[in-house]
Amino acid sequence: MAAPHCDREGFATKLGVLTATLGSAVGLGNIWKFPYMTGEHGGAAFLLIYILATLLVGLPVMISEILLGRYARSNAISTWRKVARSKAWMLVGASGVVAAFAIMAFYTDVAGWVFNYVIKASMGDLNTTDPAVAEGVFGAMVSNPWSSLAFQWGVLALVSTIIIGGVTKGIEKTTKTLMPILFVMLVVVCIRSLTLPKAGEGLAFLFSPDFSKITGEAVLMALGLAFFKLSIGMGTMMTYGSYFRQDANVPLVATRVMLADLTVSLLAGIAIFPAVFNYGFEAAAGPGLLFMTIPAVFSSMPMGQLFMVVFFVLTAIATIGAMLSLFEVPVAFFTETLKDCSRRKATILVAIGLGLCGVPATLSFGPMADVKIFGLNFFDFYDQLSSNILMPAGGLMICLFAGWLFGQEKVKECLSNNNSLHNGAVISLFLLIVRYVSPLLVLLVMLNGLGLLDLFG
Ligand code: PHE
């Protein structure tokens, strides 16, 4: 297999490959976005579509992206120059860089809320099970422009510092140690939540589907969430793929990451929905759902405040793993494309750009609430532009390229590590799905979701 950039710094160990990739996938998407979107779109039916989207589209795109990145050993844009004949494919990479900016613009805002909640939890400001009080605390936080911006910029500074430390040292070390602890913490919250008197109602909401809730928009949202969750369709996994070791089993790593990621999301759902129904929160409360219900769960248990602080600290750390991988897309690109651009310089440039793009997202809950583009405030605009348009479109192109243009023989060679893995059946199944199923599904869902087709009558 060609490996043009042998001097490239990469993930040092096999475990490092897995944990760094998982560190990118697991983040606010599981703990914050998955529960609130499931709540907004009616529960179990949405969950089911999300799982289907993950299996039939998410996983194949993830494998394709890592495969291409590892083959070219390059960043999200230059990879296309190395694998594709036409330069036009570099536009897919460019759209990924735009998506990375759009995501970071709102992601850093929400990460700032999490850091803010660490402080609020330690001061005892969150010890309440009363929905009105919890809503008041959350509302006051997000609508305060100066403190929100200060937290967002603080988050940007922190992530930049880790990035400047380099790929292997910075990313691997941070993620390897902390993921397992977050997992255990989530299990603790689930146990508490499941023992609440009205836990059954929450579980029914999450697990017994009402198919009348399915609309074209909900399906597009579920697909977008699958892309957002696995950090795919915008070059993150391509860039990470370029740091993969040659002996890593790509389909296996991707499947493990997908399963672990799904487990974390389900745990977050099990932690949150019983509490929603028990204390009378609104399932469709939107972006504030996590920030209102989790404190209620902890407030009703012994040593709750201590656990609450630990929970938000760990969530904050999970956001860092995801943000590192988002930063990595433009940073790797600038470092390798611009003349004399060190990692340090690229990181600082990206951070400043993000600091500016992030302002209107952060102010969407305060002074800029009424400023709309396409009927959405900036926060939702960045979110929907990335998850519902740029990532699915990028994913579609990635499937088409890996399935039809890259060459089936080359795919087989790469995914079997030059025939050393004996995973022929897995590769055939992958090729079947990535050639026919995934592209068709993405196309139909996008056309339908954007109102250009009407699948649901
Ligand atoms: N997957 C991350 C999460 O769930 C978000 C993310 C999206 C990270 C795209 C990188 C790229 O929080």
Side-chain angles (χ1 to χ4, degrees), residues 23-30 103 107 227-232 234 236 261 318 322-323 325-326 391:
S24 163
V26 173
L28 287 171
N30 311 71
I103 297 173
Y107 207 94
F227 274 93
F228 183 85
K229 269 310 320 120
L230 295 177
S231 319
I232 51 176
M234 38 76 68
T236 282
D261 181 71
M323 288 189 288
S325 71
L326 278 159
M391 291 201 260

